[in-house]
Amino acid sequence: MAFGGANDRNDLPRLARIDPKLFDILFSGCKVERCTAGQHLFVQEDAADRIYGVMTGTVEISIYSPGGQKLVANIELSRSLVGEIGALDGRPRTATAICLTACELVSVSRTQLFDRIERNPPLARAMIELLCARLRWVSGELGDQAFFGIEARLAKRLVFLAEVMADAAGWIPISQSELGEFLGATRESVNKTLNDWRARSFIAIKRGGLRITDAGALRHIAESQDDD
């Protein structure tokens, strides 16, 4: 059996997941920690001494500029890993991790991480594959920023969020300001695009959320390069 690094689904490369069996090995015997919505796991530039596994809930990974501008880099859900970069290289945290919802987490120290990797060699391969998936994701994001306009980037992000965050009725619990933080775009530009898509029946909008009603149209937009 091959042990996957990020996620077996090609359309969801950004979730930091390893094979469930290896996840259980990594966090074997760890006490479940319960965190409330809004609680920080760590802050950018903090000393890094632990890697976390998300059992339940949603964790937001964000990067802040020196002036305090926020860019949401990722979200992590059940069976995802959080904080693996700092735990592996021992350097300060590259981002801030905050619980968007009530979460149940497990964690091991940096020393425990390397001890378990040494005792379970497949963990080393899984971590390498996970880091490579992260790097590919970052490279893809840089390419999107350089070559695609706001519409293509927003459509791509909505398709992803619908896969991982939508409720049973298809509603994605996210505000337009939060979408702007995901894309590094202004709320105004996001609002203009979303209202256009609502008028064209691509999406439905309600306070604090939206729902895709024409996934095919958004996927087409997501794959369309901005030629302007």
Side-chain angles (χ1 to χ4, degrees):
M1 177 178 180
F3 292 109
N7 192 300
D8 291 334
R9 298 182 58 181
N10 292 331
D11 59 338
L12 302 180
R14 71 196 74 175
L15 294 179
R17 289 176 176 166
I18 58 176
D19 184 272
K21 292 182 180 179
L22 291 179
F23 184 97
D24 291 338
I25 289 172
L26 178 57
F27 297 108
S28 175
C30 293
K31 181 180 179 181
V32 175
E33 307 165 40
R34 291 175 174 81
C35 298
T36 59
Q39 184 172 338
H40 285 83
L41 299 183
F42 50 80
V43 175
Q44 189 172 326
E45 300 298 334
D46 276 355
D49 61 352
R50 304 194 75 77
I51 181 172
Y52 296 86
V54 182
M55 301 297 290
T56 63
T58 304
V59 177
E60 177 187 276
I61 310 298
S62 300
I63 300 169
Y64 288 84
S65 72
Q69 184 176 358
K70 177 182 176 182
L71 175 66
V72 177
N74 212 344
I75 55 170
E76 301 298 349
L77 307 172
S78 176
R79 292 281 169 162
S80 294
L81 301 184
V82 175
E84 71 281 353
I85 295 175
L88 286 168
D89 69 10
R91 300 183 65 185
R93 296 294 188 187
T94 59
T96 293
I98 185 171
C99 298
L100 291 182
T101 65
C103 293
E104 293 184 334
L105 305 157
V106 284
S107 69
V108 294
S109 68
R110 186 166 186 261
T111 299
Q112 290 173 314
L113 170 63
F114 281 105
D115 178 64
R116 295 182 183 206
I117 286 175
E118 289 177 2
R119 289 189 284 111
N120 301 278
L123 270 173
R125 176 178 173 179
M127 297 301 292
I128 290 170
E129 291 178 350
L130 185 149
L131 291 175
C132 288
R134 290 287 208 195
L135 181 58
R136 288 179 181 276
W137 166 243
V138 170
S139 297
E141 286 288 280
L142 290 174
D144 287 353
Q145 290 280 349
F147 302 120
F148 288 77
I150 179 66
E151 288 195 0
R153 291 189 289 121
L154 179 56
K156 181 178 180 180
R157 189 56 57 104
L158 288 181
V159 169
F160 165 71
L161 292 175
E163 293 281 357
V164 301
M165 288 185 67
D167 62 19
W171 289 99
I172 305 167
I174 193 168
S175 70
Q176 295 181 23
S177 295
E178 289 169 330
L179 279 172
E181 291 173 347
F182 263 111
L183 300 173
T186 65
R187 183 187 183 281
E188 290 74 20
S189 62
V190 169
N191 177 265
K192 179 180 178 181
T193 302
L194 291 179
N195 283 333
D196 175 58
W197 290 349
R198 177 170 58 178
R200 297 161 70 183
S201 299
F202 294 169
I203 63 171
I205 299 175
K206 67 177 183 179
R207 185 176 180 83
L210 56 86
R211 177 165 56 91
I212 296 175
T213 54
D214 190 339
L218 288 194
R219 289 193 178 94
H220 177 74
I221 293 171
E223 296 166 0
S224 301
Q225 185 168 335
D226 185 4
D227 295 323
D228 293 341

